[in-house]
RNA sequence: GCGGGCAUAGUUUAGGGGUAAAACCCCAGUCUUCCAAACUGGUGUCGGCGGUUCGAUUCCGCCUGCCCGCACCA
């Protein structure tokens, strides 16, 4: 593992490269920026598109059991009430005025300490698997301090969000042990809201979606009615999502506007969901390595059962070791049929489907592989970023997989004073351009042109030289090895297509 | 939200109450028959707003953004 200083330097270099070469810009930069938002430049837009295309090809086109949709970002606000986001997508926060510590209200627990009903005081602690034992210890300590005899009543832990106002005043700060220093919980919904229509009032309030998943659930009936799907099947979607994050951090890793790629994979309620869940984890991990993520940087984190949402049975994150730490790339949750149940109930529309195999009507359960495009983007750049030495000269390169590299090949005339070389080069460029994102570059020494391409991750450089005039061959140079071989002009396109699609 | 630091060209940095600089990059040209050659020329900069001042990029205040730590992270 890199030292903090080294990893910070590395991250700075990567952010610098992204800016310098036109991958990622800070949003609204000419107005001083805008915290938590980013813009993708010419190369970034290509790379991002390639990630999404690869995912769509592998998860939708090349599978018989998955179809795609593209739902609107602003939907009937009832959807977000049914899904629980209006009430639940909050992080109520409590500050300790004295210690300046901040707690999430739903992570803060307290217990009243009593002996035979007589109140001795209140203890508080932060949620953990051992918190009941800790509470008992704190209660015993309180008893000794007050020099009171007798057996303690049973300790009952209560979450701070469930405290009555009278109880709340009694809760001591976990940091100082003193009561009265905690601010009331401040509600904070992470959904951005807006208004639809000419009138701005409570009735016109709408939300920017915080996840793409609900667009899938809300269209469940439309899709199953029109697509002749049989269980198990998946519905996939790529799209923007918005969350009013308190602290956007780590470049594009946590931003307020981001893009998700989600699949809701519907399964029979009696099926072996553990196996299907495990299969998806494997499928998704293999996909990450197939597009060039360094497999040693990938990890898995299984959510402990006590921290799962009440409707989820299991959730495993696929993580990536970024320079700033190991962080979630994709969450693969087994969610039961909570969402469909909610939408069926709140909309009043029957959403059950008939399963031929079991001859039963049911609301299927769901496995949800959900990942961030932007996080994948960053993980790919981090995986690809390399520095090496060519004949004593330091070079920077991005070892991006040809499938996702923004530019697939560069076509160079070795010299720009020879009309015939220019002609062949330009003809080849125009021909390749019809199939692939390619560039041409006539300026400067050939070595400089190679290095320019290395730095943006272009996997192949094709040079038209004097020999090309004799035998219709060109050199093709490999980015990672810098090795060159001669191939016939006619073979260039099939070669590149093979590398890009393979 | 809190505490600390920072903000000069595309990048890395120098400078200083009185006409703002270097290197690299980029562009054009000379040269050049395969890995950032050389030479010539060129574009481009003090985050924003306000205050002090004859004059502010420099001093002060506020704002915005970035970094580190705390906290937070469906």
């Amino acid at each position: 593992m890199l030292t903090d200083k080294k990893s910070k330097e590395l991250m700075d270099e990567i952010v610098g490269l992204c800016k310098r070469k036109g991958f990622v810009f800070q949003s609204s930069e000419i107005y001083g920026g805008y915290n938590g938002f980013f813009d993708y430049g010419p190369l970034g837009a290509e790379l991002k598109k390639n990630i999404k295309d690869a995912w769509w090809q592998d998860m939708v086109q090349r599978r018989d059991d998955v179809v795609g949709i593209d739902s609107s970002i602003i939907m009937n606000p009832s959807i977000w009430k049914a899904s629980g986001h209006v009430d639940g997508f909050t992080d109520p926060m409590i500050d300790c005025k004295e210690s300046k510590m901040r707690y999430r209200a739903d992570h803060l627990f307290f217990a009243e300490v009593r002996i035979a009903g007589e109140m001795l005081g209140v203890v508080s602690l932060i949620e953990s698997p051992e918190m009941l034992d800790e509470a008992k210890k704190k209660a015993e300590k309180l008893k000794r301090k007050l020099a009171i005899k007798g057996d303690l009543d049973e300790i009952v832990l209560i979450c701070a969000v469930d405290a009555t106002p009278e109880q709340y005043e009694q809760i001591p700060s976990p940091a100082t042990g003193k009561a009265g220093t905690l601010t009331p919980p401040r509600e904070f919904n992470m959904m951005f809201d807006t208004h639809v229509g000419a009138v701005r009032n409570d009735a016109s309030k709408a939300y920017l979606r915080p996840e793409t998943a609900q667009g899938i659930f809300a269209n469940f009936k439309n899709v199953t009615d029109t697509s002749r799907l049989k269980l198990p099947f998946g519905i996939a979607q790529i799209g923007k999502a918005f969350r009013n994050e308190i602290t956007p951090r780590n470049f594009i890793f946590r931003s307020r506007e981001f893009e998700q790629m989600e699949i809701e994979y519907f399964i029979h309620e009696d099926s072996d969901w553990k196996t299907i869940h495990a299969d998806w984890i494997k499928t998704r991990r293999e996909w990450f390595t197939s597009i060039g993520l360094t497999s040693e940087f990938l990890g898995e984190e299984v959510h402990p059962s006590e921290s799962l949402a009440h409707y989820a049975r299991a959730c495993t994150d696929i993580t990536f070791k970024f320079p700033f730490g190991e962080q979630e790339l994709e969450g693969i949750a087994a969610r039961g049929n909570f969402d469909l149940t909610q939408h069926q109930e709140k909309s009043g529309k029957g959403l059950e489907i008939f399963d031929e195999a079991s001859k039963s009507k049911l609301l299927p359960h769901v496995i949800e592989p959900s990942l961030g495009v932007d996080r994948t983007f960053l993980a790919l750049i981090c995986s690809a970023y390399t520095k090496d030495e060519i004949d004593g000269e330091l070079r920077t390169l991005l070892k991006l997989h040809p499938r996702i590299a923004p530019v697939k090949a560069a076509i160079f005339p070795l010299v720009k004073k020879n009309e015939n070389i220019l002609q062949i080069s330009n003809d080849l460029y125009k021909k390749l351009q019809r199939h692939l994102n390619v560039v041409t570059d006539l300026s400067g020494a050939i070595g400089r042109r190679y290095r320019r391409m290395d730095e943006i991750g272009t996997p192949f450089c094709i040079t038209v030289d004097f020999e090309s005039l004799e035998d219709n061959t060109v050199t093709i140079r490999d980015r990672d090895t810098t090795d060159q071989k001669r191939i016939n002009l006619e073979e260039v396109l099939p070669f590149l297509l093979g590398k890009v699609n393979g």
Side-chain angles (χ1 to χ4, degrees):
Chain A
M1 197 63 195
L2 294 168
T3 63
D4 285 355
K5 187 163 176 283
K6 274 276 192 324
S7 55
K8 187 183 175 306
E9 278 173 18
L10 174 63
M11 200 55 209
D12 284 347
E13 284 175 23
I14 288 169
V15 173
L17 177 77
C18 284
K19 164 99 198 271
R20 206 170 62 244
K21 292 296 174 183
F23 284 94
V24 181
F25 306 121
Q26 190 182 20
S27 170
S28 319
E29 200 184 67
I30 61 169
Y31 286 99
Y34 204 36
N35 194 3
F37 297 92
F38 292 92
D39 297 339
Y40 288 83
L43 295 178
E46 289 289 339
L47 176 50
K48 208 174 166 205
K49 181 178 179 297
N50 293 341
I51 293 168
K52 291 188 282 185
D53 286 350
W55 185 85
W56 194 265
Q57 281 163 5
D58 292 339
M59 297 298 132
V60 183
Q61 282 176 12
R62 294 173 186 172
R63 291 183 69 115
D64 299 329
D65 57 347
V66 179
V67 296
I69 66 162
D70 186 357
S71 70
S72 65
I73 286 170
I74 297 175
M75 302 189 280
N76 188 314
S78 301
I79 285 174
W80 304 109
K81 294 195 182 82
S83 69
H85 286 82
V86 172
D87 295 324
F89 200 59
T90 56
D91 289 326
M93 228 84 68
I94 296 171
D95 286 310
C96 170
K97 284 180 278 198
E98 190 165 310
S99 67
K100 301 292 179 200
M101 297 291 271
R102 167 172 287 186
Y103 307 98
R104 262 182 68 174
D106 55 331
H107 286 181
L108 182 64
F109 284 76
F110 70 98
E112 294 178 340
V113 182
R114 293 171 188 275
I115 292 181
E118 190 77 22
M119 175 94 127
L120 301 188
V122 179
V123 295
S124 67
L125 18 76
I126 295 156
E127 184 176 33
S128 72
E130 310 84 35
M131 66 179 171
L132 189 59
D133 290 340
E134 283 176 31
K136 283 175 184 164
K137 274 184 212 156
K138 284 193 172 185
E140 288 291 343
K141 211 169 152 187
L142 183 68
K143 188 179 87 172
R144 278 200 303 278
K145 202 169 152 195
L146 296 172
I148 295 175
K149 291 202 160 80
D151 289 331
L152 290 172
D153 294 0
E154 192 188 349
I155 298 286
V156 180
L157 286 171
I158 306 170
C159 183
V161 290
D162 300 323
T164 65
E166 294 76 41
Q167 284 177 323
Y168 192 81
E169 281 176 28
Q170 303 286 314
I171 303 176
S173 162
T176 64
K178 274 195 283 185
T181 65
L182 295 178
T183 62
R186 285 178 301 128
E187 283 296 319
F188 175 77
N189 194 293
M190 306 238 307
M191 282 195 292
F192 287 102
D193 55 35
T194 184
H195 289 268
V196 174
V199 186
R200 294 180 75 87
N201 56 27
D202 281 355
S204 69
K205 193 169 173 182
Y207 303 97
L208 304 191
R209 67 179 175 203
E211 62 171 25
T212 54
Q214 295 306 324
I216 296 176
F217 292 123
N219 279 291
F220 180 72
K221 190 156 170 46
N222 283 335
V223 176
T224 51
D225 281 353
T226 53
S227 302
R228 302 174 61 229
L229 294 160
K230 287 189 181 66
L231 284 176
F233 63 85
I235 303 176
Q237 173 161 225
I238 299 177
K240 286 274 176 96
F242 305 83
R243 289 178 195 175
N244 195 5
E245 295 285 354
I246 304 159
T247 314
R249 273 282 162 98
N250 292 327
F251 196 39
I252 56 174
F253 180 81
R254 174 170 291 109
S255 59
R256 292 187 167 123
E257 172 176 340
F258 57 101
E259 202 156 13
Q260 288 187 302
M261 305 191 283
E262 286 196 298
I263 299 170
E264 300 300 333
Y265 194 73
F266 297 96
I267 58 175
H268 194 284
E269 57 189 340
D270 297 331
S271 54
D272 177 10
W273 66 269
K274 282 184 178 165
T275 301
I276 300 169
H277 186 237
D279 285 347
W280 270 109
I281 296 168
K282 184 162 172 282
T283 300
R284 297 299 312 143
R285 251 191 108 121
E286 285 169 359
W287 186 80
F288 280 128
T289 52
S290 81
I291 60 166
L293 286 197
T294 308
S295 59
E296 299 85 76
F297 289 170
L298 288 172
E300 278 173 32
E301 192 182 319
V302 178
H303 287 218
S305 54
E306 62 266 23
S307 72
L308 291 172
H310 63 278
Y311 49 80
R313 296 159 146 181
C315 184
T316 298
D317 288 344
I318 297 179
T319 60
F320 183 82
K321 291 179 186 71
F322 289 99
F324 48 80
E326 184 167 351
Q327 302 277 349
E328 175 191 346
L329 268 189
E330 171 158 3
I332 301 164
R335 292 180 64 137
N337 60 6
F338 173 83
D339 298 275
L340 287 181
T341 304
Q342 282 295 108
H343 288 306
Q344 174 162 275
E345 189 181 308
K346 302 292 182 196
S347 69
K349 304 285 192 303
L351 300 179
E352 290 184 337
I353 54 168
F354 185 73
D355 176 44
E356 281 293 342
S358 62
K359 304 283 186 218
S360 61
K361 265 186 107 172
L362 75 151
L363 278 185
H365 288 213
V366 73
I367 306 288
E368 179 196 77
S370 164
L371 77 153
V373 178
D374 312 78
R375 290 177 177 192
T376 307
F377 184 110
L378 186 56
L380 281 165
I381 300 259
C382 290
S383 291
Y385 187 81
T386 312
K387 281 182 281 192
D388 67 6
E389 221 179 274
I390 300 296
D391 297 332
E393 295 275 1
L394 207 63
R395 87 173 165 154
T396 302
L397 69 158
L398 291 181
K399 291 187 174 178
L400 293 169
H401 191 287
R403 190 176 180 196
I404 59 138
V407 178
K408 308 305 184 191
I411 297 91
F412 302 144
L414 184 60
V415 295
K416 62 177 168 182
K417 284 288 172 63
N418 185 300
E419 284 302 325
N420 293 329
I421 286 178
L422 278 177
Q423 183 70 49
I424 294 171
S425 169
N426 195 46
D427 287 349
L428 180 62
Y429 172 57
K430 289 291 173 196
K431 179 181 167 189
L432 297 178
Q433 204 176 39
R434 298 177 61 83
H435 305 270
L436 296 163
N437 192 42
V438 293
V439 299
T440 183
D441 186 356
L442 337 180
S443 81
I446 192 79
R448 172 178 292 271
R449 286 180 267 168
Y450 287 146
R451 300 298 172 83
R452 270 204 278 256
M453 288 298 121
D454 292 339
E455 208 175 1
I456 64 167
T458 305
F460 303 104
C461 290
I462 296 146
T463 302
V464 180
D465 58 13
F466 288 90
E467 205 176 321
S468 308
L469 303 176
E470 312 294 321
D471 61 5
N472 269 338
T473 63
V474 291
T475 64
I476 187 155
R477 167 194 182 264
D478 181 274
R479 173 196 63 206
D480 300 341
T481 62
T482 76
D483 290 342
Q484 287 180 297
K485 60 176 181 179
R486 296 202 75 87
I487 65 173
N488 194 280
L489 267 173
E490 297 303 316
E491 293 168 26
V492 174
L493 181 60
F495 173 85
L496 291 176
L497 289 175
K499 292 290 185 184
V500 169
N501 297 327

